[in-house]
Amino acid sequence: MEISKRILQMQFSEIRKLIPFAEEAKKKGVKVYHLNIGQPDIKTPEEFFQAINKYKGKTLKYENSQGMSILIESFMKYYKGINIDFNKDEIYITNGASEGIQHTLMTICDYDDEILVPEPYYTNYNNIAKIAGVNIVSFNTLRKDGFHLKNKEEIVNKISNKTKAMLISNPGNPTGVVYTKEEIRMLADIAKEHNLFIIADEVYREFIYDKLNFVSFMYMKDILDRIILIDSISKRYSACGARIGMVATKNKDISKQLLKLCQSRLSVSTIDQIGAANLINVQKEYFKEVNIEYEKRRNILYDGLININGVNCKKPEGAFYIIAQLPIKNSNDFAKWMLTNFNYENKTVMITPAKGFYSSANLGVDEVRLSYCINCEDLKESIKLLNKGLEVYNKLNK
Ligand SMILES: Cc1ncc(COP(=O)(O)O)c(C=O)c1O
């Protein structure tokens, strides 16, 4: 008996693989600060739970495969508020953005097709692509440029006759980049000139700092038929556990076929859809307050990091992550050591080695991705611990 080659080609989560070491440290009484995962600590808005508490149904039936009307309409209303018009038949509710991306790849790609992704990228794209039998081809973006797109030629050079789409996370996980209007326009032009789709993963849309403007691909009116928009309530409303996302597209060929995949998994959780639909009633003030909090955290983390000897990073503009180069040889080894061999006053920090966010060999080996989903005081403590950890580690490894 043999298991599949497909499953063997998939990888265990790079973000979660150090969890057993963190659990061990906690068992020994060490407090672990989590800078490793994009799980916001912000409260999910009351509106979500209020709607669920009001639910009076006696039987939890399968819902419509496309998604419940109340939820689709609430997404439509949200988009109207940011000048994006979707009709009801253009939105498909999914089990998080994750399933949305997978359904999209299954719909537009054949086995062995390629998608272009700026590197470093959200590591889970690898497994989602593998499930669909699709190959990720990356083009490099650099820390020194704040991971902005500098060179159209370099992107175009990666296009082959198998390339179907570009998959773009904006704002970026793990980079924190927020693409300018010119960059979005450049990608739109590439899509037009080379007949590609754009899978626009905009799950971090509401997390933009320094008063920057967010430019959605949906504002590029001349390529609307090429765009498949991916969204989710996970980050926007700090509701990762609800597993509610969506795919929206103006391309009728795609939306028609997407329904087959939605039907194949019958439906998405009724209760979570009911809760999510009521999030449209969350006041605008909520986003303002959350943004102020994240911007404060971003500043604390960035200022703290650049003051550590030998650390290099650029100030992220959005989302809640930063890629930092540390004065070490191997961040995998260091991240593990921080959990297994180090503590200061019985405290340590969990960080994510950045290697898993790159597909090019040798890139990211001395980098980590840090998230700022913990409160300001804990962030300050984490920076202190990271600094101490680097000092001790480098003395031991001289
Ligand atoms: C860029 C990006 N896209 C998609 C997802 C998945 O989101 P969801 O929880 O909606 O599946 C994440 C989660 O971290 C992400 O960072």
Side-chain angles (χ1 to χ4, degrees):
M1 282 195 303
E2 279 182 21
I3 55 172
S4 75
K5 291 186 188 66
R6 179 178 45 226
I7 198 73
L8 293 175
Q9 279 172 9
M10 288 175 68
Q11 61 195 40
F12 288 101
S13 168
E14 286 291 326
I15 300 169
R16 291 167 189 254
K17 74 178 180 192
L18 294 174
I19 287 176
F21 302 111
E23 294 305 323
E24 266 312 299
K26 284 177 196 171
K27 264 191 221 154
K28 289 182 199 151
V30 176
K31 180 170 171 59
V32 179
Y33 291 93
H34 286 272
L35 297 188
N36 60 304
I37 199 156
Q39 166 63 65
D41 62 332
I42 305 281
K43 265 196 193 163
T44 310
E46 273 302 308
E47 284 79 354
F48 183 90
F49 303 106
Q50 281 162 358
I52 291 174
N53 288 337
K54 273 195 209 143
Y55 181 70
K56 289 281 180 286
K58 296 283 177 225
T59 307
L60 274 176
K61 293 184 286 193
Y62 287 124
E63 267 303 332
N64 189 318
S65 296
Q66 186 192 346
M68 291 173 78
S69 286
I70 47 162
L71 180 54
I72 293 173
E73 280 159 12
S74 92
F75 269 117
M76 285 163 64
K77 213 162 148 190
Y78 165 77
Y79 286 118
K80 215 170 203 39
I82 52 169
N83 300 317
I84 298 172
D85 281 314
F86 276 120
N87 298 321
K88 227 172 150 179
D89 60 347
E90 293 169 338
I91 293 181
Y92 290 75
I93 305 302
T94 53
N95 288 295
S98 309
E99 189 191 57
I101 298 167
Q102 195 175 333
H103 281 184
T104 301
L105 294 182
M106 300 282 280
T107 305
I108 62 174
C109 295
D110 279 312
Y111 192 74
D112 222 22
D113 277 345
E114 294 171 358
I115 50 166
L116 276 185
V117 183
E119 175 181 62
Y121 57 86
Y122 173 49
T123 164
N124 223 16
Y125 287 163
N126 284 321
N127 274 349
I128 298 175
K130 283 262 159 54
I131 296 169
V134 171
N135 298 316
I136 287 186
V137 175
S138 61
F139 55 90
N140 203 231
T141 60
L142 303 175
R143 197 180 55 249
K144 76 172 175 56
D145 301 326
F147 300 100
H148 278 279
L149 308 173
K150 290 287 161 188
N151 191 327
K152 185 176 173 185
E153 265 330 285
E154 272 177 31
I155 303 173
V156 169
N157 284 344
K158 298 278 181 161
I159 297 173
S160 77
N161 58 5
K162 288 186 175 176
T163 314
K164 274 289 176 66
M166 290 184 278
L167 170 53
I168 308 289
S169 160
N170 182 37
N173 174 11
T175 59
V177 69
V178 175
Y179 293 126
T180 61
K181 192 171 171 191
E182 289 70 32
E183 288 169 292
I184 296 291
R185 187 63 252 170
M186 176 177 79
L187 293 170
D189 288 340
I190 294 175
K192 237 166 129 172
E193 288 156 14
H194 297 272
N195 198 22
L196 304 176
F197 290 112
I198 289 178
I199 308 168
D201 181 345
E202 298 183 357
V203 302
Y204 295 100
R205 185 190 297 108
E206 298 293 343
F207 304 94
I208 309 275
Y209 315 123
D210 307 323
K211 299 195 167 61
L212 290 176
N213 277 332
F214 174 70
V215 182
S216 172
F217 274 106
M218 290 303 295
Y219 298 157
M220 302 291 119
K221 297 290 179 210
D222 56 324
I223 57 152
L224 286 182
D225 61 330
R226 298 185 179 277
I227 302 170
I228 301 121
L229 181 68
I230 304 293
D231 212 345
S232 166
I233 67 163
S234 290
K235 315 288 167 167
R236 182 148 74 240
Y237 296 105
S238 198
C240 296
R243 310 309 306 133
I244 297 291
M246 55 126 251
V247 179
T249 181
K250 300 247 159 229
N251 184 310
K252 298 278 178 249
D253 293 335
I254 295 177
S255 56
K256 187 174 161 206
Q257 301 301 327
L258 264 175
L259 186 61
K260 291 180 187 166
L261 292 164
C262 294
Q263 287 176 345
S264 72
R265 55 87 169 112
L266 306 179
S267 64
V268 171
S269 155
T270 306
I271 292 293
D272 287 304
Q273 289 191 76
I274 288 169
N278 200 35
L279 289 171
I280 193 64
N281 294 317
V282 171
Q283 299 298 308
K284 279 244 171 347
E285 215 38 48
Y286 170 84
F287 292 119
K288 264 199 209 140
E289 282 168 17
V290 171
N291 247 272
I292 289 170
E293 175 64 22
Y294 275 111
E295 190 161 336
K296 217 162 40 178
R297 294 174 179 189
R298 189 268 319 248
N299 292 343
I300 289 171
L301 184 58
Y302 174 72
D303 292 344
L305 285 172
I306 55 166
N307 278 313
I308 299 178
N309 220 349
V311 172
N312 287 308
C313 56
K314 280 271 178 182
K315 202 182 228 181
E317 300 158 326
F320 29 69
Y321 308 99
I322 187 166
I323 292 269
Q325 182 193 33
L326 304 183
I328 46 160
K329 284 210 174 67
N330 185 310
S331 59
N332 206 20
D333 189 61
F334 175 66
K336 189 173 159 198
W337 178 86
M338 284 292 284
L339 296 170
T340 54
N341 291 55
F342 172 81
N343 75 72
Y344 179 72
E345 294 172 347
N346 245 2
K347 292 179 266 189
T348 192
V349 190
M350 187 170 182
I351 55 183
T352 304
K355 177 97 196 67
F357 297 91
Y358 289 87
S359 54
S360 301
N362 304 325
L363 290 183
V365 183
D366 57 356
E367 291 179 342
V368 289
R369 185 200 72 167
L370 306 175
S371 60
Y372 38 101
C373 294
I374 58 174
N375 69 51
C376 295
E377 287 317 304
D378 287 355
L379 264 180
K380 286 179 194 162
E381 193 60 29
S382 304
I383 293 159
K384 241 170 44 193
L385 292 165
L386 186 63
N387 197 0
K388 275 257 175 275
L390 283 167
E391 244 176 65
V392 179
Y393 181 82
N394 278 332
K395 260 191 204 140
L396 288 172
N397 290 287
K398 247 188 198 160

